[in-house]
Amino acid sequence: MSGFCGAHRGRNMVHGRAPRGGYSRGRAGDTGRQAAQETPYDKTARAGLHYPVGRITRHLRKGKYGQRVSSSAAVMMAAVVEYLSAEVLELAGNIAMDHRKNRITPRHIYLGIKLDEELSRHLDDVTIHEGGVLPTEEVKPPKKKKDPGMQ
């Protein structure tokens, strides 16, 4: 039995490490309770977000927005961006359902933003490609007055 340690004879362990795809008892030094609790490793999962915190951190550091960038700044920015995108998508989805459509188009996004008071105020100078314009009531042309002398 060359290569096998005597203490791990029945477990297919090679010098304290399991071969690939083999039997493993967890990390060294972990008790059963600690090994059972899986902690999320990336900052996105720890914060409970969907937007990538690490990518936002990288762009903040590359962008030279400051000499030092706090790790919590990227978490906060990811949370704000996720909230705003969820808000816009909810409004656009409601507009799409009102028009009996299953797919959100740029027109639905535009109408959702413009019909919401706060988003319209903040995104007033934003142009959305293929968004169109807000619908208005039809303006009827003025009726021509008949001249009483022309009869």
Side-chain angles (χ1 to χ4, degrees):
M1 293 194 132
S2 65
F4 286 98
C5 295
H8 304 289
R9 190 171 289 144
R11 297 191 191 126
N12 198 17
M13 300 288 276
V14 179
H15 297 291
R17 290 187 297 190
R20 290 189 182 179
Y23 177 83
S24 175
R25 295 181 63 191
R27 285 184 273 166
D30 281 347
T31 63
R33 185 180 291 171
Q34 289 173 346
Q37 294 175 351
E38 291 187 19
T39 57
Y41 292 108
D42 60 339
K43 293 178 183 177
T44 303
R46 270 189 241 156
L49 299 172
H50 294 285
Y51 270 73
V53 175
R55 186 177 299 172
I56 291 176
T57 304
R58 186 181 76 229
H59 287 295
L60 283 174
R61 291 185 198 282
K62 275 188 176 179
K64 303 288 186 192
Y65 295 107
Q67 291 179 348
R68 295 161 39 154
V69 176
S70 169
S71 60
S72 61
V75 173
M76 184 66 186
M77 184 173 277
V80 169
V81 170
E82 183 172 323
Y83 170 74
L84 287 175
S85 61
E87 188 75 22
V88 168
L89 284 175
E90 181 184 354
L91 293 169
N94 292 341
I95 297 289
M97 286 194 314
D98 289 347
H99 290 125
R100 297 186 184 97
K101 303 289 183 185
N102 293 328
R103 185 173 296 154
I104 295 175
T105 62
R107 174 75 176 160
H108 299 139
I109 294 172
Y110 176 79
L111 289 175
I113 289 172
K114 289 301 178 185
L115 295 178
D116 186 65
E117 184 179 329
E118 291 181 3
L119 282 176
S120 178
R121 189 171 356 115
H122 290 294
L123 300 175
D124 191 29
D125 55 345
V126 173
T127 302
I128 296 179
H129 181 67
E130 296 286 329
V133 295
L134 277 177
T136 58
E137 295 179 22
E138 284 190 31
V139 179
K140 296 179 182 176
K143 293 183 180 179
K144 293 182 179 180
K145 294 181 182 177
K146 292 184 180 179
D147 257 346
M150 292 284 290
Q151 290 182 359

